[in-house]
Amino acid sequence: MSTPTTAQAAPARQMWPLYAAGFTTAFGAHSIAANLGGFSDDAVTSLMVLGGLLALYDGAEVLLKPVFGTLADRIGARPVLLGGLVAFAAASAVYALADSPGWLWAARLGQGAAASAFSPSASALVGRLNPAIKHGRAFGSYGFYKSIGYTLGPLLGGVLVWAGGLRLLFVVLAVLGAAVAAWAALAVPVVAPLPKVRQTVLDLARRLAHPAFLRPTAALAAATAALSVGVGFLPVSGRAAGLGTVATGAAVSVLAACAAVVQPRAGRALDAGHLTARGGITTGLLLTAAGLGCAMLPGLLGVLSGAALIGAGTGLITPLGFAALAASTPAERLGQTMGAAELGRELGDAGGPLLVAAVATLTALTYGYAALAVLLAIGPAVGLVRRVSGAR
């Protein structure tokens, strides 16, 4: 199998396993996180244990994604992708076959470590297999299928836990990981690592501190922070307004659906020249901030309008952010960049809810939304001031 030329995008048959890998990491993370404390005989009943299991997965990703991203540049992204998927299947099978609940800790740690390997590798391959003029479409499609995984995870995971407990969910994840690994082994071409100039720690620090990396990564972190806040806190706002579980669940579905629908369209607009990465990211940040502002309004209108705008804004930022990173990164360092960018997203995933929760504890939830909205709007506001000053 050969890689595409600089003028030709990768065939669809080579891309589908990468989209499936993106779906797997999103589905695996959210299906378990949403159902660890569910209604089954093997559910986690201790809040301390539940928090530890959730932190274990995220902690593994924060520590290991940059490591595996760098490894993908050194030995090739394909073997790291395949190894991560196989390890994910094996870690899932550990708990599915074990008799002791204590193995849940090992399985959860293994899943987090495995996702840290195949997630940035899949992103790097999306960039390597497609020319720069097709990056928007490629990353838009990749983000679309990750959004589908985030959407279906809590819903389908809940059905599986209801039908057969957590072990059935882990069985399905083991089969899914193994199936995607086999598919990728058959369809994803070998992409040889590129020769690179020796890089010191100072060189790495300079590259990661460059605005070409910091700006899109900060935008991706902000988008992930808002997405996590929307998923976690909009149902709280809905319940406070007297809405039932159906209405609050619909709000989260609206958020995920808007994010999924917008991503491929944003990518195509970027490739066609109808949208720039910088302009699209700025618009996405403002839309997301507006969504958080709408979430401050009482009742169903505030919850649904907030969900729609947060979903649309984050859906706009995600493919454009990754496309911008791929365009500004030497191909031989793409895995390292994607791993570091994924680390930024993980920090946003944790930091956004923590910020909103801290402010809400001291004041009220509406002020928590406002605090995050202000942070998201600062970047576009500073950029606008600089452009106006430069035009004088």
Side-chain angles (χ1 to χ4, degrees), residues 146-166:
K146 285 192 78 169
S147 294
I148 295 299
Y150 288 133
T151 303
L152 290 182
L155 299 175
L156 184 55
V159 172
L160 292 171
V161 170
W162 171 80
L166 281 174

Side-chain angles (χ1 to χ4, degrees), residues 237-238 241 243 297-304:
S237 296
L243 303 177
L297 301 174
L300 182 61
L301 177 62
V303 172
L304 289 181

Side-chain angles (χ1 to χ4, degrees), residues 35-209:
N35 293 287
L36 277 173
F39 300 98
S40 67
D41 292 338
D42 54 354
V44 175
T45 56
S46 167
L47 291 178
M48 184 63 70
V49 172
L50 178 60
L53 288 169
L54 294 174
L56 192 64
Y57 186 97
D58 293 333
E61 290 196 308
V62 167
L63 292 175
L64 295 177
K65 276 186 173 180
V67 175
F68 283 117
T70 302
L71 181 64
D73 289 333
R74 183 170 299 172
I75 68 172
R78 185 176 182 270
V80 179
L81 172 79
L82 297 178
L85 287 167
V86 171
F88 184 85
S92 302
V94 163
Y95 181 68
L97 300 175
D99 294 327
S100 170
W103 282 102
L104 182 58
W105 291 87
R108 194 66 175 154
L109 178 62
Q111 286 180 328
S116 302
F118 72 79
S119 181
S121 300
S123 298
L125 283 166
V126 170
R128 286 287 307 275
L129 291 174
N130 291 277
I133 60 172
K134 298 293 184 181
H135 276 168
R137 185 187 299 267
F139 282 109
S141 298
Y142 180 72
F144 171 81
Y145 288 102
K146 285 192 78 169
S147 294
I148 295 299
Y150 288 133
T151 303
L152 290 182
L155 299 175
L156 184 55
V159 172
L160 292 171
V161 170
W162 171 80
L166 281 174
R167 280 187 171 79
L168 177 59
L169 175 56
F170 275 80
V171 168
V172 171
L173 291 174
V175 173
L176 176 63
V180 176
W183 191 8
L186 292 173
V188 176
V190 175
V191 181
L194 297 172
K196 49 181 128 350
V197 178
R198 181 178 177 84
Q199 177 182 252
T200 66
V201 174
L202 183 58
D203 293 331
L204 174 61
R206 286 172 178 166
R207 189 162 62 83
L208 297 185

